[in-house]
Amino acid sequence: MLRILNVTLSRCTVLSQLMRVPLPPLETPRVLGVDDFALYGDTYGTLLVDATTRLPLTLWEGRDAEQLSRWLREHPGVEVACRDGSLTFRQGIFAGAPDAVQVSDRFHLWQGLSRRVQDIASAHRGCLPAALPPVSETDAAPVEETSENTAADTRAGRHARRLFEAVHALTQTGRSHSSVARELGLDRRTVSKYARARTWQEVMRRPPRKPSTLDPYLDYLRQRWYEGQHSAKILHEELQTKGYLGHYQRVKMAVAPLRRGLPLDEPRERPPSPREAARWITAHPSRRSPHINERLPRLLDQCPELRLTHDLVRRFATMLDNRDATPLPDWLNDLAHSGLAPLVGLAGALREDRHAVAHGITTPYNSGVNEGRITDVKLQKRLMAGRAGVSLLRHRVVLIAHLRRRCADRPTVSLR
């Protein structure tokens, strides 16, 4: 802009002039929002927001309790403080404004519970295939038996069997996975995978194939093969006349099992991942698809731990929906006595912050304003390519927010 106006000034002079622009007078808010953000690398900053006007107040480098308590003592009058589950912010608010009501954000409470649900689903990964529709034994047994016999004769199958026997021979003596990994020269995760497997075939089992554009033509391929047509090129040309637009190589790979006396590799549904299972459990029943409503009951019937987790999650969701924290003490007790380590740890953390958790459930205050302003801070930081200091970032964030507010409140003039 200065070049366009033919004004000769260095950018350092421009920045110094911008820094001389005074910030709006800071008024102590009644409802304060506190959150942290990544400044650069492993360095974090703290942002304070007026949750009533939704305007940023200030920000600084660091996120320790002493800085926050000092600011609160210098600006008395905060009645409500919205934050996440950070112990640092909890201590800082209590030291600087002991009479303020602390509110633990509902989103962070639900997010923390969802992560524990995923941890439980990961620990019970072996139960996840139970969510799939049952397969008839007449269809599944011959295929699995043929596949296992074929895998046992391959080089990879013999290697998997030797590793399986070696790992189980050492782990059954009580040795740790790290010790076994050092002796066998394997990665610890590889040792853990073989130690969890009940048979060596579980390690060799291929993941179910994803659907492809060739799937509607598999019956025709099977029919033509049994009629004596074994040329993949001719089969591909016949499929093209029927509307198949895929490549010849895909047809060649599809009929490869038939050449070895194996059935066609048809698409099979994959079992849910721990993240998907956690999403099924935490989703509201009215928002679950028919696909999930069909598979989730089978999974819960197979795994009592996941059923207990599902019941506890739904009880907490009911508290959030009804804005009623009365069942919270009983729910925390059931969480602590669930026998599931992730939930037991969560119960201990929530008990220490139970008053803020109760306020987060019952009051209308939350940290949504904080999260929105954090997004704006990150945008301003990236617009400056990370070269600006914290003082310039503070000026930009505060002044631009007030400028936007004045432009939004300015009445529009009709030209008609």
Side-chain angles (χ1 to χ4, degrees):
M1 181 63 69
L2 291 175
R3 283 196 297 268
I4 295 174
L5 297 175
N6 198 20
V7 177
T8 304
L9 280 178
S10 68
R11 59 182 180 181
C12 294
T13 304
V14 174
L15 287 177
S16 64
Q17 293 298 322
L18 290 176
M19 291 300 295
R20 291 181 182 179
V21 178
L23 293 175
L26 194 153
E27 298 181 0
T28 302
R30 189 182 71 87
V31 183
L32 176 70
V34 185
D35 207 348
D36 58 353
F37 62 95
L39 198 55
Y40 52 85
D42 294 331
T43 303
Y44 289 82
T46 300
L47 174 69
L48 303 185
V49 182
D50 187 338
T52 303
T53 63
R54 310 178 72 88
L55 291 174
L57 299 173
T58 185
L59 61 86
W60 60 73
E61 181 178 347
R63 53 177 179 180
D64 58 284
E66 179 57 32
Q67 285 179 301
L68 179 58
S69 63
R70 187 187 312 117
W71 189 92
L72 289 171
R73 286 193 295 268
E74 294 172 357
H75 302 83
V78 174
E79 300 178 7
V80 180
C82 302
R83 55 167 176 79
D84 55 16
S86 171
L87 177 62
T88 300
F89 289 154
R90 185 198 318 172
Q91 295 173 344
I93 296 172
F94 182 77
D99 296 332
V101 175
Q102 298 192 35
V103 177
S104 186
D105 182 52
R106 290 188 292 274
F107 168 77
H108 290 93
L109 292 174
W110 187 258
Q111 185 182 52
L113 179 60
S114 300
R115 288 174 179 170
R116 269 63 174 196
V117 174
Q118 184 173 338
D119 293 340
I120 296 172
S122 299
H124 296 83
R125 189 186 299 265
C127 299
L128 300 183
L132 299 179
V135 181
S136 60
E137 297 181 0
T138 56
D139 296 336
V143 176
E144 293 182 358
E145 183 179 356
T146 307
S147 302
E148 290 179 3
N149 293 336
T150 305
D153 297 334
T154 62
R155 181 180 178 181
R158 292 190 294 269
H159 177 70
R161 176 179 288 180
R162 286 197 300 267
L163 280 185
F164 176 82
E165 294 173 353
V167 168
H168 276 260
L170 294 175
T171 54
Q172 287 176 358
T173 62
R175 296 179 58 177
S176 65
H177 292 178
S178 300
S179 174
V180 175
R182 285 192 296 269
E183 178 169 339
L184 298 179
L186 300 174
D187 188 85
R188 185 181 181 278
R189 288 174 294 184
T190 303
V191 173
S192 300
K193 179 178 69 173
Y194 276 87
R196 287 196 305 266
R198 291 169 293 184
T199 61
W200 66 271
Q201 288 89 350
E202 292 184 18
V203 185
M204 286 291 296
R205 187 173 299 164
R206 293 185 302 166
R209 178 174 67 81
K210 293 182 179 180
S212 71
T213 55
L214 186 61
D215 294 340
Y217 307 95
L218 291 180
D219 291 338
Y220 179 80
L221 279 179
R222 188 183 296 106
Q223 175 187 347
R224 294 291 292 134
W225 183 272
Y226 292 141
E227 290 176 356
Q229 183 52 262
H230 297 169
S231 172
K233 182 177 181 181
I234 296 178
L235 290 173
H236 178 251
E237 292 174 354
E238 293 180 3
L239 291 181
Q240 284 182 320
T241 62
K242 293 184 173 294
Y244 176 64
L245 301 177
H247 196 268
Y248 153 76
Q249 194 68 24
R250 187 179 293 272
V251 178
K252 179 181 177 181
M253 295 174 60
V255 298
L258 295 175
R259 300 185 188 278
R260 301 194 301 270
L262 299 175
L264 284 176
D265 186 14
E266 297 186 0
R268 293 164 290 164
E269 186 178 356
R270 296 171 179 264
S273 65
R275 177 177 295 183
E276 289 174 331
R279 193 181 300 119
W280 292 1
I281 293 174
T282 56
H284 195 278
S286 62
R287 297 185 177 182
R288 294 173 184 162
S289 64
H291 171 87
I292 298 175
N293 288 329
E294 178 186 354
R295 286 155 178 76
L296 182 58
R298 284 198 294 264
L299 176 60
L300 300 183
D301 291 340
Q302 177 68 24
C303 186
E305 291 81 4
L306 288 178
R307 173 170 290 281
L308 175 60
T309 303
H310 174 267
D311 295 340
L312 291 171
V313 167
R314 298 270 44 96
R315 287 170 57 187
F316 187 71
T318 303
M319 284 189 278
L320 292 179
D321 292 339
N322 299 335
R323 297 286 182 88
D324 182 14
T326 305
L328 182 62
D330 295 336
W331 182 77
L332 289 176
N333 290 333
D334 294 341
L335 214 65
H337 294 89
S338 62
L340 304 172
L343 296 185
V344 173
L346 179 64
L350 295 183
R351 268 209 181 101
E352 295 178 359
D353 200 22
R354 59 186 180 277
H355 297 296
V357 172
H359 291 140
I361 295 174
T362 57
T363 62
Y365 306 112
N366 58 72
S367 297
V369 178
N370 308 358
E371 299 297 336
R373 285 301 173 186
I374 290 295
T375 302
D376 187 59
V377 169
K378 293 178 180 178
L379 172 63
Q380 299 298 330
K381 184 165 63 73
R382 292 184 176 96
L383 286 176
M384 296 183 288
R387 297 182 180 181
V390 176
S391 56
L392 179 58
L393 180 62
R394 182 188 307 113
H395 257 67
R396 283 184 62 101
V397 170
V398 176
L399 290 176
I400 289 178
H402 282 78
L403 178 62
R404 290 171 179 163
R405 177 61 57 86
R406 288 200 299 270
C407 291
D409 295 341
R410 184 177 301 169
T412 57
V413 178
S414 178
L415 300 179
R416 290 184 297 176

